[in-house]
Amino acid sequence: MEDSVEDLFNNLPDEILSCIVSFLPNESALETSLISTRWRDLWNQVLVIHGTIEDITGVVARFLACFEEHDPLKHPRKLQFHFAEDSALFAAIATNNKLLLDFSAGNKELQRHYELQFKLNKQHITHQPVPPSFLVKTLYLKSVCYLTSEVASSIVSNLEHLERLIIIECSGLQSLFIESETKLHKLTILDCLQLKSLHLRTSKLKSFQYCGPLPLIWPESHFNLSDAILDFRLGPTSSDFKAQDFNETLLTIKNSQVLTLCEWTFEVSEKKW
């Protein structure tokens, strides 16, 4: 009997299975990927597109616009966009309004320095080719390089509902500016090893996590952080970094309710004693 029921589901077309999932709560819908390979393949469908780097912003906007949160299998949740020579963007939509943008595939511009500016305010939002139906509240941004820096800035600056931003392994990134008047509450920066300057215009920040060489941190507001984690075990990002340059960092974390520091930043030379 069980085999016949399983065969019945396996013989149903993808459209019917997707319709069944659309009636389930989010958590239960995700659990269907554990039923069998057939169900898992439905969740892992990838939309593959080829184009130019200038097309990326529009392609991502249309990818988000097509996604229906209440019918998550109607359109692919994953995108693979090929541009330039051997370069690709991988995008994936996850539960709870999460989006991953990974530029690491074929990344050959790792050594060229660049800056990123994210202005998450309505007056900086540019016209989008397709209005988004999926509101991104958490973004994982990985492996941006010089070649894709302008595209990344454009995409992120159009996410006006963004509450949590995680930036990972952006090699070559030297300067980062983030502006958000009200929405951005959590900021995480991991393993951006060339970052020298971090400028924050984010008065509502509640959580800050940083792992990598210590940059110059310039906060325009005093935060009342609920938690902060700073891992500066790699030391300062510049050899001429002075103790007073750390003052702005202290302003960033001084009101934090929970503070975790991984290794103190400055050591006293024995020759001075």
Side-chain angles (χ1 to χ4, degrees):
M1 182 69 178
E2 291 181 1
D3 291 340
S4 61
V5 172
E6 184 175 348
D7 290 340
L8 173 64
F9 275 99
N10 285 335
N11 291 325
L12 291 175
D14 291 350
E15 292 77 10
I16 300 298
L17 294 180
S18 298
C19 184
I20 293 172
V21 170
S22 70
F23 288 100
L24 299 176
N26 284 341
E27 291 185 1
S28 299
L30 280 173
E31 289 176 355
T32 61
S33 64
L34 304 176
I35 295 176
S36 67
T37 302
R38 171 78 187 285
W39 285 91
R40 186 163 57 251
D41 289 343
L42 282 176
W43 286 94
N44 288 330
Q45 289 181 355
V46 180
L47 175 64
V48 180
I49 302 177
H50 295 260
T52 67
I53 192 169
E54 290 80 10
D55 300 326
I56 294 178
T57 302
V59 168
V60 171
R62 286 187 287 273
F63 172 64
L64 295 177
C66 289
F67 180 75
E68 297 182 21
E69 197 167 5
H70 300 293
D71 193 356
L73 294 181
K74 186 175 181 179
H75 299 281
R77 300 162 58 92
K78 298 179 181 181
L79 165 71
Q80 193 174 83
F81 181 73
H82 296 266
F83 61 95
E85 184 180 355
D86 299 326
S87 296
L89 162 67
F90 177 76
I93 293 173
T95 56
N96 299 321
N97 301 90
K98 295 177 183 176
L99 174 66
L100 165 67
L101 295 177
D102 185 353
F103 291 90
S104 59
N107 197 329
K108 297 180 180 180
E109 295 282 344
L110 298 179
Q111 302 305 318
R112 194 164 178 180
H113 296 153
Y114 62 95
E115 65 177 24
L116 290 175
Q117 292 191 8
F118 300 147
K119 299 180 179 180
L120 301 163
N121 298 314
K122 288 185 178 180
Q123 61 267 31
H124 297 296
I125 294 176
T126 59
H127 172 72
Q128 299 187 52
V130 182
S133 59
F134 176 74
L135 303 180
V136 178
K137 295 184 178 180
T138 298
L139 174 65
Y140 292 82
L141 185 64
K142 183 177 180 182
S143 298
V144 175
C145 67
Y146 172 81
L147 180 65
T148 54
S149 57
E150 290 188 12
V151 170
S153 292
S154 175
I155 293 174
V156 177
S157 295
N158 278 303
L159 301 177
E160 60 176 307
H161 299 278
L162 194 64
E163 298 176 359
R164 185 183 181 194
L165 176 60
I166 301 95
I167 303 172
I168 308 168
E169 296 176 3
C170 291
S171 184
L173 175 62
Q174 284 200 325
S175 176
L176 175 61
F177 171 72
I178 300 176
E179 177 182 15
S180 176
E181 294 174 353
T182 57
K183 294 289 186 180
L184 190 64
H185 297 155
K186 297 183 179 181
L187 174 63
T188 300
I189 302 174
L190 304 175
D191 300 324
C192 297
L193 303 183
Q194 287 80 41
L195 185 61
K196 293 184 177 181
S197 173
L198 175 59
H199 183 179
L200 300 174
R201 190 179 293 165
T202 53
S203 59
K204 302 300 182 181
L205 201 64
K206 293 297 181 183
S207 178
F208 179 47
Q209 181 178 352
Y210 187 95
C211 179
L214 169 63
L216 286 171
I217 300 179
W218 176 22
E220 291 195 15
S221 304
H222 289 189
F223 306 124
N224 292 311
L225 296 176
S226 58
D227 64 273
I229 301 175
L230 303 180
D231 184 347
F232 297 138
R233 282 176 285 186
L234 295 177
T237 190
S238 175
S239 58
D240 58 355
F241 200 98
K242 300 178 177 61
Q244 56 265 33
D245 294 329
F246 195 60
N247 291 342
E248 298 290 347
T249 303
L250 294 177
L251 288 177
T252 306
I253 62 176
K254 73 171 187 176
N255 295 325
S256 180
Q257 297 177 21
V258 179
L259 174 62
T260 303
L261 293 174
C262 298
E263 189 169 320
W264 186 239
T265 307
F266 299 101
E267 297 179 1
V268 178
S269 174
E270 294 181 0
K271 295 180 181 179
K272 294 183 180 181
W273 294 91

